Amino acid sequence: MNTAAILGVAAIVNPSASNWFWWWLVWSLLYSGFRVSWYFYCRKHVNQHPDLPVPEHQIKIHHVLVVGSAIVWVIVAWMGLPVFAAKDKFAIIIILSALSGGATGSLASLRRTGKIYIGLLIIPACIRMLMLDDPSFITIAILGFIFAWVMISSHENNYRLLERSLFLSMRNEDLIQQLSGKNAEITKINTELEQIVEERTKKLQYLANYDLLTNLLNRRGIAEDSSESDSALQHQLVLFIDLDRFKQINDGLGHDWGDLLLQAVSQRLAELVDELALEWGSKRHAVCRWGGDEFVVTLVGPEVSDGRTSAACKYLQTMLSQPFQINSRQLQVGASIGVFERCAYSLAKLSEAVSYADIAASEAKRLGRGRVVFYSEILSDIQRRKLALTIALSQAHMDGSLKLVFQPIVSASSGEVVAFEALLRWHSSEFGPVSPVEFIPLAEESGHILKIGNWVLTQACKEAQLWRQQHPSAIAPKVAVNTSIKQLIQADYVNEVRTALKNSGLPENHLVIEVTESVFDESNMDQTLTTLSALHNLGVEIHLDDFGTGYSSLSRLRKFPLDAIKIDKSFVMFSDEKSMAVIEGALLISHKFGLRVIAEGVETHTQLDKLRDLGVDELQGYLLGKPSEMTLTHFIKEDEVRSPHNMGR
């Protein structure tokens, strides 16, 4: 750097400069050459003796040479500034500034010598400029002193950074040496860790592919097992097994007993499938716990006759329904089995096959559980229709496709209309009229029943209030709204009822909430009891619909805030001795509890006479009025048809 600066000065300064300048130039270049030679000498010595410290005399000579370089520039600045041309003076000042700036980094390792070098480069030149008595150079001189202070400070900062870096480097070297000394120990530990990792990997693979409770394959495991394909195999059988009544055992006895039962079922199922695979000569079979109380069985092998497949699946279902002896208890569950079978060279993907078998298992449960159902395209069409209807239901409460019809409930003694039951109808723009028997369960399963139920409640209250406003002199009937258990267990359902009554203006005692016996289910009974009690305290009547078909018991009838029960129409339609006995018993118990009794499904005058003779309080059925969009006005016009004098005809 110094050599380059000297050559730069030689190129810039006017050749007419004094002779002393040329002597200075020659001497400076010789001095720089000596410094370079000394540098290579010291470097060679260090390379030859890397483990030895640098000799002290070499260090001292290096410091002296650095200071000597600064003195060289002091000479040219002190002697040249008074005589050089203006441009040459500024060139000298710029070169000195550049050298001092570079020294803050290149001489950072020389804490004192570096600062001396910077000071000698700038301070004598600044003093000399002050002596020139030139105002422009006085300003430059003052700035030079400031620049010198900044450069010396920068040199100190660089020194500290370098010192810190060297300290950290030495510390790292010590750490490396310590780590190197433990290589043997680390190698030994790594070997042990590799063995542990190998064992853990095997364990993790097992955990990833097997169910810990039953030791059967899990979903991932059976997927990997089924990933292999063999074009020589022509028969694929996938069974989706859903246990029946397992929830009652799990809830009634506790999850520990439920787990023991699942283990017993898994063991029996695995043994039965092994026997079946051996009998058929299957090349590959697997049993999987799909989740909860659901299992999947796959068999792939030579083609077998349809009759053997059906018989084998039925045998499997029968054996799984046999009692299990677990500790001191005998437990029994059933099994609903869906079967997907393909006889072809091209085997279906496992996910696709399981999906089809699951559809068949759902159909087996729908038909009454404890059945074996084979998958067919018809079932797939039904499933697709259900999905499409469910999607359409999500907007039904807003697109105008829902409407309410009303069926009258009349007094058995007077024949007067005392209430209308609001019944929901759906005319989909895509599917046309859809039966409530089909869409209500879908609304329940999907959760759309919450929005739809709120729509029904709101519309029914508005319609009932309209009846009251149109006929202020008449005794306006009440309106009965069917309510889902999913609505009742919502924390804000009571507020929904309050809002519907307030917005419509309908008095609380003109609304009837009809619930089914599902409110007596233990899992939801506390919440439904709280909701129904709050509604009853509000003044809303509570009726129990479809009485005799569900969970009813005398204690629950006494516990719940009911105003009336509705005898299910199945007892009315048959009208045999046993049905009449059920109705008589219900009447006796209900009247003892202070409850009114409403009979549904009245379609003949004979049924009407029997029910009235038995003491039923209110009646409902096609004989008395079909569900219609007719409002109260129409029923008042037709009161002669429903008068007490004509009811028995």
Side-chain angles (χ1 to χ4, degrees):
M1 184 170 64
N2 267 284
T3 303
I6 293 169
L7 294 175
V9 170
I12 293 171
V13 174
N14 192 330
S16 63
S18 302
N19 291 333
W20 68 266
F21 174 76
W22 300 111
W23 283 107
W24 173 87
L25 181 63
V26 173
W27 183 81
S28 297
L29 290 173
L30 292 174
Y31 186 81
S32 293
F34 176 75
R35 282 193 63 194
V36 171
S37 301
W38 178 255
Y39 166 77
F40 282 109
Y41 169 77
C42 294
R43 181 177 178 181
K44 180 179 179 182
H45 182 271
V46 170
N47 292 335
Q48 290 176 346
H49 308 282
D51 298 330
L52 296 177
V54 178
E56 185 69 23
H57 72 278
Q58 291 184 6
I59 297 174
K60 290 181 178 180
I61 292 174
H62 176 64
H63 283 266
V64 171
L65 290 176
V66 169
V67 174
S69 296
I71 294 173
V72 167
W73 290 104
V74 170
I75 293 172
V76 73
W78 191 267
M79 296 182 65
L81 286 175
V83 298
F84 287 159
K87 68 178 185 64
D88 297 338
K89 293 177 182 179
F90 282 109
I92 292 294
I93 293 171
I94 290 171
I95 290 173
L96 293 177
S97 300
L99 288 173
S100 63
T104 59
S106 61
L107 300 180
S109 60
L110 308 178
R111 188 173 191 179
R112 293 185 179 84
T113 303
K115 293 179 180 62
I116 293 172
Y117 178 85
I118 294 171
L120 288 174
L121 284 177
I122 300 176
I123 294 174
C126 292
I127 294 173
R128 192 60 170 162
M129 283 188 286
L130 290 174
M131 296 171 62
L132 294 177
D133 198 21
D134 185 337
S136 60
F137 282 102
I138 293 175
T139 302
I140 295 174
I142 295 172
L143 293 175
F145 286 119
I146 296 173
F147 181 75
W149 176 78
V150 171
M151 291 299 100
I152 291 172
S153 299
S154 297
H155 177 272
E156 178 65 20
N157 290 334
N158 289 338
Y159 170 79
R160 293 183 182 276
L161 289 173
L162 181 62
E163 183 182 44
R164 180 63 178 171
S165 298
L166 291 173
F167 171 76
L168 293 175
S169 177
M170 294 174 62
R171 186 176 180 182
N172 289 338
E173 288 180 2
D174 291 340
L175 291 174
I176 291 171
Q177 290 178 358
Q178 293 176 19
L179 291 174
S180 299
K182 295 182 177 294
N183 274 342
E185 183 179 351
I186 292 173
T187 302
K188 180 181 178 182
I189 293 173
N190 284 339
T191 303
E192 294 174 353
L193 286 175
E194 288 175 359
Q195 295 175 351
I196 294 173
V197 168
E198 184 178 356
E199 294 174 0
R200 293 285 176 86
T201 301
K202 293 179 180 178
K203 186 175 182 180
L204 288 174
Q205 287 177 342
Y206 182 85
L207 293 175
N209 294 324
Y210 286 85
D211 176 61
L212 295 182
L213 178 64
T214 62
N215 292 323
L216 298 178
L217 290 170
N218 57 21
R219 293 191 185 191
R220 184 177 185 274
I222 197 170
E224 290 191 0
D225 180 80
S226 303
S227 60
E228 303 175 5
S229 61
D230 189 342
S231 59
L233 303 178
Q234 302 178 18
H235 188 262
Q236 179 186 29
L237 190 67
V238 177
L239 279 62
F240 194 96
I241 302 171
D242 195 344
L243 299 184
D244 300 330
R245 299 183 301 277
F246 175 76
K247 186 177 186 300
Q248 288 88 327
I249 294 175
N250 211 30
D251 293 343
L253 298 179
H255 291 279
D256 290 340
W257 281 98
D259 289 346
L260 291 173
L261 179 58
L262 286 175
Q263 290 173 339
V265 171
S266 301
Q267 182 178 351
R268 182 181 294 181
L269 178 61
E271 293 172 355
L272 291 169
V273 173
D274 287 342
E275 293 176 8
L276 184 61
L278 183 62
E279 179 183 348
W280 283 0
S282 295
K283 301 300 182 182
R284 189 171 71 247
H285 68 281
V287 182
C288 160
R289 184 187 178 199
W290 194 252
D293 59 347
E294 298 172 339
F295 299 85
V296 168
V297 175
T298 62
L299 295 103
V300 180
E303 185 175 356
V304 296
S305 64
D306 292 341
R308 290 182 64 193
T309 300
S310 180
C313 293
K314 184 60 182 175
Y315 174 74
L316 201 64
Q317 189 273 332
T318 301
M319 294 304 297
L320 289 176
S321 301
Q322 298 299 312
F324 293 87
Q325 189 67 37
I326 301 175
N327 295 338
S328 59
R329 291 181 181 270
Q330 190 178 69
L331 303 179
Q332 187 172 9
V333 291
S336 297
I337 301 179
V339 184
F340 171 75
E341 186 176 21
R342 174 171 288 186
C343 299
Y345 288 103
S346 176
L347 303 182
K349 292 182 179 180
L350 177 69
S351 59
E352 178 184 353
V354 171
S355 176
Y356 293 151
D358 188 12
I359 291 173
S362 298
E363 181 66 10
K365 279 189 172 292
R366 190 189 70 81
L367 293 174
R369 304 177 185 272
R371 297 171 181 265
V372 176
V373 174
F374 281 72
Y375 170 80
S376 67
E377 285 297 328
I378 295 176
L379 291 180
S380 186
D381 292 341
I382 292 173
Q383 195 69 17
R384 283 192 287 268
R385 176 177 170 84
K386 284 183 177 180
L387 177 60
L389 287 174
T390 300
I391 294 172
L393 273 174
S394 65
Q395 300 297 320
H397 65 290
M398 296 188 298
D399 62 11
S401 59
L402 294 177
K403 70 175 181 179
L404 293 181
V405 295
F406 300 89
Q407 186 175 26
I409 302 172
V410 303
S411 170
S413 59
S414 67
E416 295 179 351
V417 177
V418 296
F420 286 102
E421 181 179 1
L423 301 173
L424 183 62
R425 297 294 183 263
W426 183 29
H427 193 288
S428 170
S429 59
E430 181 180 356
F431 302 98
V434 185
S435 169
V437 176
E438 183 178 15
F439 76 78
I440 291 296
L442 293 178
E444 292 270 3
E445 293 171 9
S446 62
H448 298 326
I449 194 67
L450 299 178
K451 293 181 179 178
I452 293 174
N454 182 261
W455 181 88
V456 171
L457 175 67
T458 302
Q459 294 301 118
C461 289
K462 288 180 180 179
E463 187 69 23
Q465 178 61 10
L466 184 61
W467 300 339
R468 295 179 72 251
Q469 292 172 348
Q470 290 176 347
H471 306 281
S473 60
I475 300 175
K478 300 177 181 180
V479 64
V481 177
N482 292 286
T483 305
S484 165
I485 184 67
K486 290 185 178 291
Q487 293 175 268
L488 293 174
I489 63 176
Q490 297 296 311
D492 60 345
Y493 180 67
V494 176
N495 289 332
E496 286 187 10
V497 174
R498 285 198 184 99
T499 301
L501 291 170
K502 180 180 178 181
N503 291 343
S504 65
L506 184 69
E508 291 83 352
N509 60 1
H510 274 65
L511 175 63
V512 177
I513 294 295
E514 290 194 4
V515 298
T516 64
E517 291 176 327
S518 60
V519 297
F520 298 142
D521 185 6
E522 292 287 349
S523 60
N524 296 313
M525 192 164 63
D526 290 341
Q527 180 60 44
T528 54
L529 179 57
T530 300
T531 300
L532 293 177
S533 297
L535 291 173
H536 199 262
N537 293 335
L538 194 64
V540 176
E541 281 196 21
I542 309 297
H543 291 186
L544 182 62
D545 199 7
D546 301 332
F547 180 79
T549 60
Y551 306 91
S552 292
S553 72
L554 299 181
S555 63
R556 289 168 178 168
L557 284 176
R558 177 184 58 80
K559 187 176 183 180
F560 273 71
L562 301 174
D563 295 284
I565 65 169
K566 298 182 75 172
I567 302 294
D568 187 69
K569 62 183 178 181
S570 60
F571 297 106
V572 175
M573 293 174 64
F574 288 109
S575 298
D576 55 14
E577 292 184 4
K578 292 183 178 180
S579 297
M580 290 300 104
V582 171
I583 296 174
E584 289 179 17
L587 280 164
L588 178 63
I589 295 169
S590 299
H591 287 162
K592 287 288 185 181
F593 285 167
L595 304 177
R596 305 195 312 279
V597 177
I598 305 169
E600 297 181 294
V602 181
E603 297 184 357
T604 66
H605 288 286
T606 301
Q607 294 170 347
L608 177 66
D609 292 338
K610 283 185 180 181
L611 293 169
R612 190 169 55 184
D613 292 341
L614 287 174
V616 171
D617 301 289
E618 297 167 12
L619 304 165
Q620 182 179 1
Y622 278 17
L623 180 66
L624 306 169
K626 296 181 180 180
S628 170
E629 292 184 68
M630 293 189 299
T631 61
L632 179 62
T633 305
H634 299 84
F635 283 96
I636 291 175
K637 290 180 179 178
E638 299 177 8
D639 58 358
E640 293 183 359
V641 179
R642 297 175 184 81
S643 68
H645 305 290
N646 296 326
M647 285 177 63
R649 298 178 187 174

